[in-house]
PDB file of all heavy atoms in Angstrom:
ATOM      1  N   VAL A  10     -25.543 -12.685 -18.195  1.00 97.00           N
ATOM      2  CA  VAL A  10     -25.212 -13.095 -16.827  1.00 97.00           C
ATOM      3  C   VAL A  10     -26.216 -12.457 -15.866  1.00 97.00           C
ATOM      4  O   VAL A  10     -26.777 -11.406 -16.156  1.00 97.00           O
ATOM      5  CB  VAL A  10     -23.766 -12.703 -16.406  1.00 97.00           C
ATOM      6  CG1 VAL A  10     -22.747 -13.431 -17.249  1.00 97.00           C
ATOM      7  CG2 VAL A  10     -23.556 -11.206 -16.482  1.00 97.00           C
ATOM      8  N   SER A  11     -26.435 -13.128 -14.737  1.00 97.00           N
ATOM      9  CA  SER A  11     -27.415 -12.660 -13.749  1.00 97.00           C
ATOM     10  C   SER A  11     -26.722 -12.209 -12.479  1.00 97.00           C
ATOM     11  O   SER A  11     -25.688 -12.757 -12.113  1.00 97.00           O
ATOM     12  CB  SER A  11     -28.359 -13.804 -13.361  1.00 97.00           C
ATOM     13  OG  SER A  11     -28.893 -14.395 -14.514  1.00 97.00           O
ATOM     14  N   PHE A  12     -27.329 -11.227 -11.826  1.00 97.00           N
ATOM     15  CA  PHE A  12     -26.855 -10.842 -10.499  1.00 97.00           C
ATOM     16  C   PHE A  12     -28.028 -10.266  -9.720  1.00 97.00           C
ATOM     17  O   PHE A  12     -29.073  -9.975 -10.279  1.00 97.00           O
ATOM     18  CB  PHE A  12     -25.692  -9.840 -10.586  1.00 97.00           C
ATOM     19  CG  PHE A  12     -26.034  -8.557 -11.289  1.00 97.00           C
ATOM     20  CD1 PHE A  12     -26.565  -7.481 -10.592  1.00 97.00           C
ATOM     21  CD2 PHE A  12     -25.788  -8.420 -12.650  1.00 97.00           C
ATOM     22  CE1 PHE A  12     -26.875  -6.292 -11.245  1.00 97.00           C
ATOM     23  CE2 PHE A  12     -26.087  -7.235 -13.305  1.00 97.00           C
ATOM     24  CZ  PHE A  12     -26.638  -6.170 -12.600  1.00 97.00           C
ATOM     25  N   GLU A  13     -27.845 -10.139  -8.412  1.00 97.00           N
ATOM     26  CA  GLU A  13     -28.892  -9.603  -7.549  1.00 97.00           C
ATOM     27  C   GLU A  13     -28.351  -8.425  -6.758  1.00 97.00           C
ATOM     28  O   GLU A  13     -27.176  -8.397  -6.411  1.00 97.00           O
ATOM     29  CB  GLU A  13     -29.377 -10.683  -6.573  1.00 97.00           C
ATOM     30  CG  GLU A  13     -30.038 -11.845  -7.281  1.00 97.00           C
ATOM     31  CD  GLU A  13     -30.600 -12.882  -6.306  1.00 97.00           C
ATOM     32  OE1 GLU A  13     -30.298 -12.780  -5.092  1.00 97.00           O
ATOM     33  OE2 GLU A  13     -31.323 -13.774  -6.762  1.00 97.00           O
ATOM     34  N   ILE A  14     -29.227  -7.470  -6.507  1.00 97.00           N
ATOM     35  CA  ILE A  14     -28.872  -6.303  -5.697  1.00 97.00           C
ATOM     36  C   ILE A  14     -29.867  -6.230  -4.533  1.00 97.00           C
ATOM     37  O   ILE A  14     -31.077  -6.230  -4.775  1.00 97.00           O
ATOM     38  CB  ILE A  14     -28.974  -4.990  -6.507  1.00 97.00           C
ATOM     39  CG1 ILE A  14     -28.106  -5.041  -7.767  1.00 97.00           C
ATOM     40  CG2 ILE A  14     -28.569  -3.801  -5.641  1.00 97.00           C
ATOM     41  CD1 ILE A  14     -28.254  -3.803  -8.641  1.00 97.00           C
ATOM     42  N   PRO A  15     -29.379  -6.179  -3.286  1.00 97.00           N
ATOM     43  CA  PRO A  15     -30.306  -5.990  -2.167  1.00 97.00           C
ATOM     44  C   PRO A  15     -30.937  -4.600  -2.235  1.00 97.00           C
ATOM     45  O   PRO A  15     -30.235  -3.610  -2.471  1.00 97.00           O
ATOM     46  CB  PRO A  15     -29.425  -6.142  -0.916  1.00 97.00           C
ATOM     47  CG  PRO A  15     -28.021  -6.015  -1.387  1.00 97.00           C
ATOM     48  CD  PRO A  15     -27.981  -6.281  -2.857  1.00 97.00           C
ATOM     49  N   MET A  16     -32.256  -4.532  -2.069  1.00 97.00           N
ATOM     50  CA  MET A  16     -32.961  -3.258  -2.151  1.00 97.00           C
ATOM     51  C   MET A  16     -33.069  -2.618  -0.764  1.00 97.00           C
ATOM     52  O   MET A  16     -33.219  -3.316   0.236  1.00 97.00           O
ATOM     53  CB  MET A  16     -34.360  -3.472  -2.732  1.00 97.00           C
ATOM     54  CG  MET A  16     -34.321  -3.870  -4.197  1.00 97.00           C
ATOM     55  SD  MET A  16     -33.694  -2.500  -5.230  1.00 97.00           S
ATOM     56  CE  MET A  16     -32.930  -3.394  -6.571  1.00 97.00           C
ATOM     57  N   ALA A  17     -33.016  -1.291  -0.753  1.00 96.00           N
ATOM     58  CA  ALA A  17     -33.074  -0.552   0.514  1.00 96.00           C
ATOM     59  C   ALA A  17     -34.366  -0.869   1.266  1.00 96.00           C
ATOM     60  O   ALA A  17     -34.394  -0.921   2.497  1.00 96.00           O
ATOM     61  CB  ALA A  17     -32.965   0.945   0.249  1.00 96.00           C
ATOM     62  N   SER A  18     -35.448  -1.107   0.518  1.00 92.00           N
ATOM     63  CA  SER A  18     -36.759  -1.331   1.133  1.00 92.00           C
ATOM     64  C   SER A  18     -36.955  -2.791   1.541  1.00 92.00           C
ATOM     65  O   SER A  18     -38.020  -3.184   1.984  1.00 92.00           O
ATOM     66  CB  SER A  18     -37.845  -0.941   0.138  1.00 92.00           C
ATOM     67  OG  SER A  18     -37.633  -1.609  -1.095  1.00 92.00           O
ATOM     68  N   GLY A  19     -35.927  -3.608   1.345  1.00 94.00           N
ATOM     69  CA  GLY A  19     -36.050  -5.047   1.596  1.00 94.00           C
ATOM     70  C   GLY A  19     -36.236  -5.773   0.279  1.00 94.00           C
ATOM     71  O   GLY A  19     -36.632  -5.179  -0.717  1.00 94.00           O
ATOM     72  N   GLY A  20     -35.964  -7.049   0.273  1.00 94.00           N
ATOM     73  CA  GLY A  20     -36.074  -7.801  -0.972  1.00 94.00           C
ATOM     74  C   GLY A  20     -34.841  -7.617  -1.840  1.00 94.00           C
ATOM     75  O   GLY A  20     -33.885  -6.942  -1.443  1.00 94.00           O
ATOM     76  N   VAL A  21     -34.887  -8.232  -2.999  1.00 96.00           N
ATOM     77  CA  VAL A  21     -33.742  -8.187  -3.911  1.00 96.00           C
ATOM     78  C   VAL A  21     -34.216  -7.843  -5.306  1.00 96.00           C
ATOM     79  O   VAL A  21     -35.285  -8.267  -5.722  1.00 96.00           O
ATOM     80  CB  VAL A  21     -33.043  -9.571  -4.068  1.00 96.00           C
ATOM     81  CG1 VAL A  21     -31.596  -9.518  -3.650  1.00 96.00           C
ATOM     82  CG2 VAL A  21     -33.776 -10.649  -3.358  1.00 96.00           C
ATOM     83  N   GLY A  22     -33.384  -7.098  -6.013  1.00 95.00           N
ATOM     84  CA  GLY A  22     -33.623  -6.859  -7.431  1.00 95.00           C
ATOM     85  C   GLY A  22     -32.791  -7.867  -8.204  1.00 95.00           C
ATOM     86  O   GLY A  22     -31.605  -8.037  -7.931  1.00 95.00           O
ATOM     87  N   LYS A  23     -33.438  -8.565  -9.148  1.00 97.00           N
ATOM     88  CA  LYS A  23     -32.720  -9.539  -9.979  1.00 97.00           C
ATOM     89  C   LYS A  23     -32.586  -8.963 -11.380  1.00 97.00           C
ATOM     90  O   LYS A  23     -33.577  -8.568 -11.985  1.00 97.00           O
ATOM     91  CB  LYS A  23     -33.502 -10.855 -10.054  1.00 97.00           C
ATOM     92  CG  LYS A  23     -33.648 -11.550  -8.706  1.00 97.00           C
ATOM     93  CD  LYS A  23     -34.486 -12.827  -8.885  1.00 97.00           C
ATOM     94  CE  LYS A  23     -35.028 -13.360  -7.584  1.00 97.00           C
ATOM     95  NZ  LYS A  23     -34.053 -14.028  -6.738  1.00 97.00           N
ATOM     96  N   TYR A  24     -31.367  -8.922 -11.876  1.00 96.00           N
ATOM     97  CA  TYR A  24     -31.101  -8.319 -13.178  1.00 96.00           C
ATOM     98  C   TYR A  24     -30.242  -9.242 -14.016  1.00 96.00           C
ATOM     99  O   TYR A  24     -29.520 -10.089 -13.493  1.00 96.00           O
ATOM    100  CB  TYR A  24     -30.396  -6.967 -13.008  1.00 96.00           C
ATOM    101  CG  TYR A  24     -31.194  -6.047 -12.126  1.00 96.00           C
ATOM    102  CD1 TYR A  24     -30.888  -5.902 -10.783  1.00 96.00           C
ATOM    103  CD2 TYR A  24     -32.309  -5.380 -12.628  1.00 96.00           C
ATOM    104  CE1 TYR A  24     -31.668  -5.105  -9.955  1.00 96.00           C
ATOM    105  CE2 TYR A  24     -33.086  -4.585 -11.816  1.00 96.00           C
ATOM    106  CZ  TYR A  24     -32.771  -4.456 -10.480  1.00 96.00           C
ATOM    107  OH  TYR A  24     -33.556  -3.681  -9.671  1.00 96.00           O
ATOM    108  N   GLN A  25     -30.349  -9.057 -15.319  1.00 97.00           N
ATOM    109  CA  GLN A  25     -29.458  -9.760 -16.238  1.00 97.00           C
ATOM    110  C   GLN A  25     -28.865  -8.727 -17.172  1.00 97.00           C
ATOM    111  O   GLN A  25     -29.545  -7.783 -17.579  1.00 97.00           O
ATOM    112  CB  GLN A  25     -30.229 -10.789 -17.061  1.00 97.00           C
ATOM    113  CG  GLN A  25     -30.666 -12.001 -16.278  1.00 97.00           C
ATOM    114  CD  GLN A  25     -31.453 -12.936 -17.177  1.00 97.00           C
ATOM    115  OE1 GLN A  25     -32.567 -12.656 -17.565  1.00 97.00           O
ATOM    116  NE2 GLN A  25     -30.832 -14.052 -17.533  1.00 97.00           N
ATOM    117  N   VAL A  26     -27.608  -8.933 -17.512  1.00 97.00           N
ATOM    118  CA  VAL A  26     -26.941  -8.020 -18.435  1.00 97.00           C
ATOM    119  C   VAL A  26     -26.147  -8.822 -19.453  1.00 97.00           C
ATOM    120  O   VAL A  26     -25.730  -9.948 -19.197  1.00 97.00           O
ATOM    121  CB  VAL A  26     -25.999  -7.033 -17.698  1.00 97.00           C
ATOM    122  CG1 VAL A  26     -26.788  -6.111 -16.794  1.00 97.00           C
ATOM    123  CG2 VAL A  26     -24.928  -7.767 -16.919  1.00 97.00           C
ATOM    124  N   LYS A  27     -25.972  -8.210 -20.606  1.00 97.00           N
ATOM    125  CA  LYS A  27     -25.151  -8.829 -21.652  1.00 97.00           C
ATOM    126  C   LYS A  27     -24.280  -7.756 -22.277  1.00 97.00           C
ATOM    127  O   LYS A  27     -24.773  -6.703 -22.652  1.00 97.00           O
ATOM    128  CB  LYS A  27     -26.040  -9.469 -22.723  1.00 97.00           C
ATOM    129  CG  LYS A  27     -25.216 -10.152 -23.813  1.00 97.00           C
ATOM    130  CD  LYS A  27     -26.100 -11.047 -24.695  1.00 97.00           C
ATOM    131  CE  LYS A  27     -26.754 -10.279 -25.806  1.00 97.00           C
ATOM    132  NZ  LYS A  27     -27.381 -11.192 -26.790  1.00 97.00           N
ATOM    133  N   LEU A  28     -22.994  -8.051 -22.360  1.00 96.00           N
ATOM    134  CA  LEU A  28     -22.061  -7.140 -23.021  1.00 96.00           C
ATOM    135  C   LEU A  28     -22.106  -7.395 -24.511  1.00 96.00           C
ATOM    136  O   LEU A  28     -22.078  -8.536 -24.955  1.00 96.00           O
ATOM    137  CB  LEU A  28     -20.635  -7.418 -22.550  1.00 96.00           C
ATOM    138  CG  LEU A  28     -20.081  -6.581 -21.411  1.00 96.00           C
ATOM    139  CD1 LEU A  28     -18.636  -6.982 -21.186  1.00 96.00           C
ATOM    140  CD2 LEU A  28     -20.199  -5.104 -21.699  1.00 96.00           C
ATOM    141  N   ASP A  29     -22.152  -6.301 -25.263  1.00 95.00           N
ATOM    142  CA  ASP A  29     -22.110  -6.397 -26.714  1.00 95.00           C
ATOM    143  C   ASP A  29     -21.150  -5.315 -27.178  1.00 95.00           C
ATOM    144  O   ASP A  29     -21.564  -4.197 -27.480  1.00 95.00           O
ATOM    145  CB  ASP A  29     -23.529  -6.189 -27.263  1.00 95.00           C
ATOM    146  CG  ASP A  29     -23.589  -6.370 -28.763  1.00 95.00           C
ATOM    147  OD1 ASP A  29     -22.563  -6.745 -29.368  1.00 95.00           O
ATOM    148  OD2 ASP A  29     -24.661  -6.124 -29.346  1.00 95.00           O
ATOM    149  N   GLY A  30     -19.863  -5.632 -27.150  1.00 93.00           N
ATOM    150  CA  GLY A  30     -18.858  -4.621 -27.498  1.00 93.00           C
ATOM    151  C   GLY A  30     -18.850  -3.509 -26.467  1.00 93.00           C
ATOM    152  O   GLY A  30     -18.597  -3.747 -25.296  1.00 93.00           O
ATOM    153  N   ASP A  31     -19.180  -2.283 -26.928  1.00 95.00           N
ATOM    154  CA  ASP A  31     -19.208  -1.138 -26.009  1.00 95.00           C
ATOM    155  C   ASP A  31     -20.616  -0.830 -25.522  1.00 95.00           C
ATOM    156  O   ASP A  31     -20.870   0.236 -24.975  1.00 95.00           O
ATOM    157  CB  ASP A  31     -18.612   0.095 -26.690  1.00 95.00           C
ATOM    158  CG  ASP A  31     -17.123  -0.084 -26.942  1.00 95.00           C
ATOM    159  OD1 ASP A  31     -16.489  -0.870 -26.205  1.00 95.00           O
ATOM    160  OD2 ASP A  31     -16.602   0.548 -27.878  1.00 95.00           O
ATOM    161  N   MET A  32     -21.537  -1.770 -25.751  1.00 96.00           N
ATOM    162  CA  MET A  32     -22.906  -1.613 -25.277  1.00 96.00           C
ATOM    163  C   MET A  32     -23.182  -2.669 -24.232  1.00 96.00           C
ATOM    164  O   MET A  32     -22.576  -3.741 -24.247  1.00 96.00           O
ATOM    165  CB  MET A  32     -23.916  -1.844 -26.414  1.00 96.00           C
ATOM    166  CG  MET A  32     -23.754  -0.951 -27.607  1.00 96.00           C
ATOM    167  SD  MET A  32     -24.294   0.713 -27.225  1.00 96.00           S
ATOM    168  CE  MET A  32     -26.050   0.450 -27.227  1.00 96.00           C
ATOM    169  N   MET A  33     -24.127  -2.376 -23.341  1.00 97.00           N
ATOM    170  CA  MET A  33     -24.610  -3.386 -22.416  1.00 97.00           C
ATOM    171  C   MET A  33     -26.132  -3.419 -22.531  1.00 97.00           C
ATOM    172  O   MET A  33     -26.777  -2.378 -22.563  1.00 97.00           O
ATOM    173  CB  MET A  33     -24.188  -3.076 -20.983  1.00 97.00           C
ATOM    174  CG  MET A  33     -24.676  -4.117 -19.985  1.00 97.00           C
ATOM    175  SD  MET A  33     -24.005  -3.854 -18.306  1.00 97.00           S
ATOM    176  CE  MET A  33     -22.515  -4.857 -18.378  1.00 97.00           C
ATOM    177  N   LEU A  34     -26.680  -4.625 -22.629  1.00 96.00           N
ATOM    178  CA  LEU A  34     -28.127  -4.812 -22.643  1.00 96.00           C
ATOM    179  C   LEU A  34     -28.562  -5.237 -21.252  1.00 96.00           C
ATOM    180  O   LEU A  34     -27.844  -5.968 -20.568  1.00 96.00           O
ATOM    181  CB  LEU A  34     -28.518  -5.891 -23.650  1.00 96.00           C
ATOM    182  CG  LEU A  34     -27.949  -5.711 -25.061  1.00 96.00           C
ATOM    183  CD1 LEU A  34     -28.319  -6.895 -25.943  1.00 96.00           C
ATOM    184  CD2 LEU A  34     -28.451  -4.433 -25.676  1.00 96.00           C
ATOM    185  N   PHE A  35     -29.749  -4.788 -20.850  1.00 96.00           N
ATOM    186  CA  PHE A  35     -30.229  -5.025 -19.483  1.00 96.00           C
ATOM    187  C   PHE A  35     -31.585  -5.724 -19.499  1.00 96.00           C
ATOM    188  O   PHE A  35     -32.424  -5.435 -20.343  1.00 96.00           O
ATOM    189  CB  PHE A  35     -30.411  -3.686 -18.758  1.00 96.00           C
ATOM    190  CG  PHE A  35     -29.146  -2.883 -18.610  1.00 96.00           C
ATOM    191  CD1 PHE A  35     -28.712  -2.041 -19.632  1.00 96.00           C
ATOM    192  CD2 PHE A  35     -28.392  -2.947 -17.451  1.00 96.00           C
ATOM    193  CE1 PHE A  35     -27.547  -1.286 -19.497  1.00 96.00           C
ATOM    194  CE2 PHE A  35     -27.220  -2.193 -17.310  1.00 96.00           C
ATOM    195  CZ  PHE A  35     -26.803  -1.369 -18.335  1.00 96.00           C
ATOM    196  N   LYS A  36     -31.800  -6.635 -18.552  1.00 95.00           N
ATOM    197  CA  LYS A  36     -33.117  -7.233 -18.333  1.00 95.00           C
ATOM    198  C   LYS A  36     -33.446  -7.162 -16.856  1.00 95.00           C
ATOM    199  O   LYS A  36     -32.546  -7.189 -16.018  1.00 95.00           O
ATOM    200  CB  LYS A  36     -33.121  -8.715 -18.742  1.00 95.00           C
ATOM    201  CG  LYS A  36     -33.252  -8.971 -20.219  1.00 95.00           C
ATOM    202  CD  LYS A  36     -33.628 -10.438 -20.435  1.00 95.00           C
ATOM    203  CE  LYS A  36     -32.741 -11.095 -21.465  1.00 95.00           C
ATOM    204  NZ  LYS A  36     -32.998 -12.509 -21.668  1.00 95.00           N
ATOM    205  N   GLY A  37     -34.733  -7.101 -16.542  1.00 94.00           N
ATOM    206  CA  GLY A  37     -35.168  -7.050 -15.147  1.00 94.00           C
ATOM    207  C   GLY A  37     -35.531  -5.636 -14.715  1.00 94.00           C
ATOM    208  O   GLY A  37     -35.967  -5.407 -13.591  1.00 94.00           O
ATOM    209  N   THR A  38     -35.359  -4.692 -15.623  1.00 92.00           N
ATOM    210  CA  THR A  38     -35.635  -3.284 -15.339  1.00 92.00           C
ATOM    211  C   THR A  38     -37.085  -2.954 -15.707  1.00 92.00           C
ATOM    212  O   THR A  38     -37.746  -3.725 -16.395  1.00 92.00           O
ATOM    213  CB  THR A  38     -34.693  -2.409 -16.174  1.00 92.00           C
ATOM    214  OG1 THR A  38     -34.762  -2.853 -17.540  1.00 92.00           O
ATOM    215  CG2 THR A  38     -33.253  -2.557 -15.696  1.00 92.00           C
ATOM    216  N   ALA A  39     -37.559  -1.806 -15.256  1.00 88.00           N
ATOM    217  CA  ALA A  39     -38.912  -1.355 -15.598  1.00 88.00           C
ATOM    218  C   ALA A  39     -39.007  -1.079 -17.105  1.00 88.00           C
ATOM    219  O   ALA A  39     -39.971  -1.451 -17.759  1.00 88.00           O
ATOM    220  CB  ALA A  39     -39.271  -0.107 -14.799  1.00 88.00           C
ATOM    221  N   ASN A  40     -37.990  -0.422 -17.644  1.00 85.00           N
ATOM    222  CA  ASN A  40     -37.936  -0.224 -19.092  1.00 85.00           C
ATOM    223  C   ASN A  40     -37.714  -1.570 -19.753  1.00 85.00           C
ATOM    224  O   ASN A  40     -36.993  -2.414 -19.235  1.00 85.00           O
ATOM    225  CB  ASN A  40     -36.782   0.718 -19.477  1.00 85.00           C
ATOM    226  CG  ASN A  40     -37.152   2.176 -19.277  1.00 85.00           C
ATOM    227  OD1 ASN A  40     -37.971   2.709 -20.002  1.00 85.00           O
ATOM    228  ND2 ASN A  40     -36.586   2.805 -18.251  1.00 85.00           N
ATOM    229  N   ASP A  41     -38.314  -1.771 -20.906  1.00 84.00           N
ATOM    230  CA  ASP A  41     -38.220  -3.061 -21.560  1.00 84.00           C
ATOM    231  C   ASP A  41     -36.889  -3.214 -22.286  1.00 84.00           C
ATOM    232  O   ASP A  41     -36.664  -2.597 -23.315  1.00 84.00           O
ATOM    233  CB  ASP A  41     -39.391  -3.216 -22.535  1.00 84.00           C
ATOM    234  CG  ASP A  41     -39.476  -4.638 -23.072  1.00 84.00           C
ATOM    235  OD1 ASP A  41     -39.111  -5.574 -22.321  1.00 84.00           O
ATOM    236  OD2 ASP A  41     -39.878  -4.805 -24.230  1.00 84.00           O
ATOM    237  N   ARG A  42     -36.029  -4.036 -21.731  1.00 80.00           N
ATOM    238  CA  ARG A  42     -34.734  -4.349 -22.330  1.00 80.00           C
ATOM    239  C   ARG A  42     -33.974  -3.139 -22.859  1.00 80.00           C
ATOM    240  O   ARG A  42     -33.648  -3.064 -24.050  1.00 80.00           O
ATOM    241  CB  ARG A  42     -34.935  -5.367 -23.456  1.00 80.00           C
ATOM    242  CG  ARG A  42     -35.479  -6.672 -22.915  1.00 80.00           C
ATOM    243  CD  ARG A  42     -35.626  -7.684 -24.001  1.00 80.00           C
ATOM    244  NE  ARG A  42     -34.321  -8.192 -24.389  1.00 80.00           N
ATOM    245  CZ  ARG A  42     -34.126  -9.425 -24.824  1.00 80.00           C
ATOM    246  NH1 ARG A  42     -35.126 -10.260 -24.921  1.00 80.00           N
ATOM    247  NH2 ARG A  42     -32.929  -9.829 -25.174  1.00 80.00           N
ATOM    248  N   PRO A  43     -33.680  -2.204 -21.954  1.00 88.00           N
ATOM    249  CA  PRO A  43     -32.914  -1.035 -22.413  1.00 88.00           C
ATOM    250  C   PRO A  43     -31.451  -1.409 -22.643  1.00 88.00           C
ATOM    251  O   PRO A  43     -31.035  -2.512 -22.302  1.00 88.00           O
ATOM    252  CB  PRO A  43     -33.022  -0.073 -21.230  1.00 88.00           C
ATOM    253  CG  PRO A  43     -33.138  -0.975 -20.046  1.00 88.00           C
ATOM    254  CD  PRO A  43     -33.922  -2.178 -20.518  1.00 88.00           C
ATOM    255  N   HIS A  44     -30.721  -0.503 -23.229  1.00 91.00           N
ATOM    256  CA  HIS A  44     -29.283  -0.725 -23.358  1.00 91.00           C
ATOM    257  C   HIS A  44     -28.555   0.569 -23.027  1.00 91.00           C
ATOM    258  O   HIS A  44     -29.145   1.636 -23.039  1.00 91.00           O
ATOM    259  CB  HIS A  44     -28.915  -1.220 -24.760  1.00 91.00           C
ATOM    260  CG  HIS A  44     -29.342  -0.296 -25.837  1.00 91.00           C
ATOM    261  ND1 HIS A  44     -30.549  -0.429 -26.485  1.00 91.00           N
ATOM    262  CD2 HIS A  44     -28.745   0.791 -26.366  1.00 91.00           C
ATOM    263  CE1 HIS A  44     -30.669   0.539 -27.391  1.00 91.00           C
ATOM    264  NE2 HIS A  44     -29.591   1.288 -27.338  1.00 91.00           N
ATOM    265  N   GLY A  45     -27.297   0.432 -22.693  1.00 95.00           N
ATOM    266  CA  GLY A  45     -26.507   1.606 -22.319  1.00 95.00           C
ATOM    267  C   GLY A  45     -25.081   1.456 -22.796  1.00 95.00           C
ATOM    268  O   GLY A  45     -24.682   0.409 -23.288  1.00 95.00           O
ATOM    269  N   GLN A  46     -24.337   2.519 -22.628  1.00 96.00           N
ATOM    270  CA  GLN A  46     -22.948   2.570 -23.082  1.00 96.00           C
ATOM    271  C   GLN A  46     -21.997   2.090 -22.002  1.00 96.00           C
ATOM    272  O   GLN A  46     -22.271   2.261 -20.820  1.00 96.00           O
ATOM    273  CB  GLN A  46     -22.573   4.017 -23.401  1.00 96.00           C
ATOM    274  CG  GLN A  46     -23.163   4.567 -24.680  1.00 96.00           C
ATOM    275  CD  GLN A  46     -22.576   3.874 -25.906  1.00 96.00           C
ATOM    276  OE1 GLN A  46     -23.323   3.412 -26.753  1.00 96.00           O
ATOM    277  NE2 GLN A  46     -21.260   3.782 -26.002  1.00 96.00           N
ATOM    278  N   CYS A  47     -20.881   1.539 -22.419  1.00 97.00           N
ATOM    279  CA  CYS A  47     -19.795   1.208 -21.503  1.00 97.00           C
ATOM    280  C   CYS A  47     -18.627   2.154 -21.763  1.00 97.00           C
ATOM    281  O   CYS A  47     -18.331   2.462 -22.905  1.00 97.00           O
ATOM    282  CB  CYS A  47     -19.331  -0.227 -21.718  1.00 97.00           C
ATOM    283  SG  CYS A  47     -20.606  -1.452 -21.376  1.00 97.00           S
ATOM    284  N   ARG A  48     -18.017   2.594 -20.690  1.00 97.00           N
ATOM    285  CA  ARG A  48     -16.778   3.376 -20.797  1.00 97.00           C
ATOM    286  C   ARG A  48     -15.664   2.528 -20.209  1.00 97.00           C
ATOM    287  O   ARG A  48     -15.694   2.200 -19.021  1.00 97.00           O
ATOM    288  CB  ARG A  48     -16.913   4.700 -20.028  1.00 97.00           C
ATOM    289  CG  ARG A  48     -17.859   5.689 -20.693  1.00 97.00           C
ATOM    290  CD  ARG A  48     -17.739   7.069 -20.078  1.00 97.00           C
ATOM    291  NE  ARG A  48     -17.889   7.060 -18.625  1.00 97.00           N
ATOM    292  CZ  ARG A  48     -19.060   7.024 -17.997  1.00 97.00           C
ATOM    293  NH1 ARG A  48     -20.180   7.000 -18.675  1.00 97.00           N
ATOM    294  NH2 ARG A  48     -19.103   7.016 -16.668  1.00 97.00           N
ATOM    295  N   TRP A  49     -14.704   2.183 -21.037  1.00 97.00           N
ATOM    296  CA  TRP A  49     -13.623   1.294 -20.597  1.00 97.00           C
ATOM    297  C   TRP A  49     -12.400   2.072 -20.165  1.00 97.00           C
ATOM    298  O   TRP A  49     -12.060   3.084 -20.767  1.00 97.00           O
ATOM    299  CB  TRP A  49     -13.243   0.332 -21.730  1.00 97.00           C
ATOM    300  CG  TRP A  49     -14.390  -0.465 -22.211  1.00 97.00           C
ATOM    301  CD1 TRP A  49     -14.991  -0.409 -23.444  1.00 97.00           C
ATOM    302  CD2 TRP A  49     -15.128  -1.467 -21.482  1.00 97.00           C
ATOM    303  NE1 TRP A  49     -16.035  -1.294 -23.512  1.00 97.00           N
ATOM    304  CE2 TRP A  49     -16.142  -1.956 -22.335  1.00 97.00           C
ATOM    305  CE3 TRP A  49     -15.019  -1.989 -20.195  1.00 97.00           C
ATOM    306  CZ2 TRP A  49     -17.050  -2.935 -21.925  1.00 97.00           C
ATOM    307  CZ3 TRP A  49     -15.915  -2.961 -19.795  1.00 97.00           C
ATOM    308  CH2 TRP A  49     -16.914  -3.430 -20.646  1.00 97.00           C
ATOM    309  N   GLU A  50     -11.736   1.549 -19.148  1.00 95.00           N
ATOM    310  CA  GLU A  50     -10.444   2.119 -18.763  1.00 95.00           C
ATOM    311  C   GLU A  50      -9.402   1.584 -19.711  1.00 95.00           C
ATOM    312  O   GLU A  50      -9.502   0.448 -20.168  1.00 95.00           O
ATOM    313  CB  GLU A  50     -10.092   1.689 -17.328  1.00 95.00           C
ATOM    314  CG  GLU A  50     -11.050   2.227 -16.293  1.00 95.00           C
ATOM    315  CD  GLU A  50     -10.884   1.532 -14.945  1.00 95.00           C
ATOM    316  OE1 GLU A  50      -9.890   0.779 -14.776  1.00 95.00           O
ATOM    317  OE2 GLU A  50     -11.753   1.713 -14.082  1.00 95.00           O
ATOM    318  N   LYS A  51      -8.407   2.394 -19.991  1.00 84.00           N
ATOM    319  CA  LYS A  51      -7.305   1.923 -20.830  1.00 84.00           C
ATOM    320  C   LYS A  51      -6.454   0.941 -20.010  1.00 84.00           C
ATOM    321  O   LYS A  51      -6.204   1.210 -18.839  1.00 84.00           O
ATOM    322  CB  LYS A  51      -6.423   3.100 -21.264  1.00 84.00           C
ATOM    323  CG  LYS A  51      -7.143   4.131 -22.114  1.00 84.00           C
ATOM    324  CD  LYS A  51      -7.074   3.744 -23.586  1.00 84.00           C
ATOM    325  CE  LYS A  51      -7.800   4.738 -24.485  1.00 84.00           C
ATOM    326  NZ  LYS A  51      -9.266   4.603 -24.453  1.00 84.00           N
ATOM    327  N   PRO A  52      -6.045  -0.167 -20.622  1.00 71.00           N
ATOM    328  CA  PRO A  52      -5.167  -1.083 -19.875  1.00 71.00           C
ATOM    329  C   PRO A  52      -3.895  -0.357 -19.441  1.00 71.00           C
ATOM    330  O   PRO A  52      -3.421   0.524 -20.147  1.00 71.00           O
ATOM    331  CB  PRO A  52      -4.843  -2.187 -20.876  1.00 71.00           C
ATOM    332  CG  PRO A  52      -5.879  -2.071 -21.948  1.00 71.00           C
ATOM    333  CD  PRO A  52      -6.323  -0.629 -21.967  1.00 71.00           C
ATOM    334  N   GLU A  53      -3.359  -0.745 -18.297  1.00 65.00           N
ATOM    335  CA  GLU A  53      -2.126  -0.143 -17.781  1.00 65.00           C
ATOM    336  C   GLU A  53      -1.011  -0.203 -18.827  1.00 65.00           C
ATOM    337  O   GLU A  53      -0.849  -1.218 -19.501  1.00 65.00           O
ATOM    338  CB  GLU A  53      -1.632  -0.912 -16.543  1.00 65.00           C
ATOM    339  CG  GLU A  53      -2.620  -0.955 -15.397  1.00 65.00           C
ATOM    340  CD  GLU A  53      -2.719   0.389 -14.694  1.00 65.00           C
ATOM    341  OE1 GLU A  53      -1.681   1.008 -14.455  1.00 65.00           O
ATOM    342  OE2 GLU A  53      -3.862   0.808 -14.414  1.00 65.00           O
TER     343      GLU A  53
END
């Protein structure tokens, strides 16, 4: 999925992310397709 973030200096950052279980993959960053962890809240 894609989203945009307004940048403080003007312009917009365009990013894409994909959930893969407890991991998230990122595109649009300086690092080439990094991934990170997700921490989920327990359902009520």
Side-chain angles (χ1 to χ4, degrees):
V10 296
S11 309
F12 60 88
E13 296 184 350
I14 304 176
M16 291 293 151
S18 53
V21 239
K23 296 178 197 285
Y24 304 98
Q25 288 178 289
V26 295
K27 181 167 85 169
L28 265 183
D29 184 5
D31 293 335
M32 302 287 286
M33 180 173 269
L34 308 176
F35 299 85
K36 280 196 229 177
T38 50
N40 279 290
D41 190 32
R42 297 182 74 148
H44 58 267
Q46 286 293 129
C47 297
R48 289 192 307 279
W49 303 114
E50 296 166 11
K51 298 272 179 283
E53 301 287 317

